[in-house]
Amino acid sequence: MAYTPKLTYKGRPLVRCGNDIYYGSMTDPYVVYLQVLSNRKENGVDVADKVHLVLLSTDDSKPLPERIVRQANRVGLFNALSFGDIMLQGVLQQKK
């Protein structure tokens, strides 16, 4: 039975565990790893403030430092996801 993600952004799956978020499918050559570094209160709700993004290769034969393609920091989860989508689309189009 095929896995269907419950949460997606622009057609790609989002998987979250605590402050770690993976954006993209592990069957693709690259995914974006987002790490929420800090939160702030907005109307009594915790909202992601500072987010660190890492564009990772999904090639398991490489050690982790070599799998890192690009890194960035953004303020706000929406800004981070938007930038992560741009990074992911850019690298996937270059590989075609």
Side-chain angles (χ1 to χ4, degrees):
M1 181 179 221
Y3 171 74
T4 5
K6 294 182 180 180
L7 187 60
T8 61
Y9 177 72
K10 293 192 177 183
R12 291 192 172 92
L14 276 170
V15 178
R16 180 176 183 163
C17 181
N19 286 334
D20 299 332
I21 303 168
Y22 286 90
Y23 173 58
S25 175
M26 292 306 243
T27 58
D28 290 340
Y30 298 93
V31 294
V32 177
Y33 166 68
L34 298 96
Q35 183 179 28
V36 178
L37 300 175
S38 67
N39 295 306
R40 63 179 156 80
K41 289 275 188 193
E42 191 167 301
N43 297 327
V45 177
D46 280 337
V47 177
D49 187 29
K50 294 180 184 174
V51 181
H52 181 72
L53 296 95
V54 181
L55 181 62
L56 287 174
S57 168
T58 56
D59 185 1
D60 287 336
S61 66
K62 297 179 182 177
L64 185 59
E66 290 179 18
R67 292 171 54 190
I68 296 173
V69 177
R70 186 172 179 188
Q71 298 185 52
N73 289 315
R74 290 292 178 262
V75 175
L77 187 57
F78 179 74
N79 290 337
L81 276 173
S82 295
F83 189 73
D85 184 58
I86 291 168
M87 285 194 318
L88 194 55
Q89 284 181 2
V91 76
L92 290 175
Q93 286 178 356
Q94 286 178 353
K95 295 296 175 181
K96 286 185 180 180

